[in-house]
C-alpha cells in the first residue's frame, strides 16, 4: 500500500464532496432511506462488511466496539474482499469509506480505516 494513500470515513448520508476521492460503501446491507443516486458511490464492496452474526452481536453497542474490532479483523484476515479493498486504496490513493450506521465513531468503516492506515 502506498504511504501517500489517504483513507477517509464518512456517512453515506453525507453529501459527496470533491475531496472524497474514490467512494466505497463498506456495508453488507444497503442503508435504509438512501437512494443509489444520493450515495454517489464508485463501488459497493458488500463482502468487506462484517458478517451478519458479528453485526448482530455488536448491535452498535459502544461498549462492545473494541471486541467487535478484534473479531472483525479476524473475519477479514485472508478474505478476498479485504484484499480487494487494499487494492482499491493502492490504486486510487484517496478513498472515502462510507458507512450507513447512525454512530459515526463505532462502525466497521472506522475499523477498516485503522487497518488500512497502520
Amino acid at each position: 500500500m502506498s504511504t501517500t494513500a489517504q483513507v477517509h470515513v464518512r456517512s453515506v448520508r453525507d453529501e459527496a464532496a470533491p475531496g472524497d476521492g474514490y467512494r466505497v460503501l463498506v456495508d453488507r446491507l444497503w442503508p435504509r432511506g438512501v437512494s443509489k443516486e444520493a450515495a454517489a458511490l464508485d463501488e459497493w464492496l458488500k463482502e468487506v462488511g462484517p458478517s451478519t452474526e458479528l453485526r448482530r452481536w455488536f448491535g452498535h453497542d459502544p461498549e462492545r466496539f473494541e471486541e467487535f474490532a478484534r473479531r472483525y479483523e479476524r473475519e477479514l484476515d485472508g478474505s478476498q474482499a479485504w484484499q480487494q479493498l487494499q487494492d482499491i486504496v493502492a490504486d486510487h490513493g484517496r478513498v472515502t469509506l462510507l458507512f450507513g450506521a447512525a454512530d459515526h465513531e463505532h462502525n466497521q468503516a472506522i475499523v477498516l480505516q485503522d487497518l488500512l492506515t497502520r
Side-chain angles (χ1 to χ4, degrees), residues 55-89:
R55 200 177 67 252
R56 287 184 180 150
W57 172 84
F58 174 43
H60 296 286
D61 180 347
E63 292 183 12
R64 290 185 169 185
F65 185 68
E66 284 185 37
E67 180 61 25
F68 165 77
R70 280 191 287 275
R71 292 181 185 191
Y72 184 33
E73 185 174 358
R74 282 196 302 268
E75 274 190 1
L76 291 169
D77 189 40
S79 82
Q80 185 176 356
W82 171 236
Q83 184 59 57
Q84 190 176 351
L85 182 58
Q86 292 176 79
D87 292 344
I88 288 169
V89 172

Side-chain angles (χ1 to χ4, degrees), residues 11-13 25 27 29-36 55 99-101:
S11 170
V12 71
R13 290 172 178 81
L25 179 62
D27 279 3
L29 303 173
W30 187 264
R32 286 190 196 141
V34 176
S35 71
K36 304 249 188 224
R55 200 177 67 252
F99 62 90

Side-chain angles (χ1 to χ4, degrees), residues 42 53 62 93 107:
D42 292 299
E53 297 76 21
N107 62 65

Side-chain angles (χ1 to χ4, degrees), residues 1-7 82-93 95 112-118:
M1 182 154 342
S2 168
T3 56
T4 60
Q6 293 182 15
V7 180
W82 171 236
Q83 184 59 57
Q84 190 176 351
L85 182 58
Q86 292 176 79
D87 292 344
I88 288 169
V89 172
D91 290 347
H92 294 278
V95 174
L112 292 169
Q113 179 188 40
D114 179 58
L115 295 173
L116 289 164
T117 57
R118 277 190 193 160

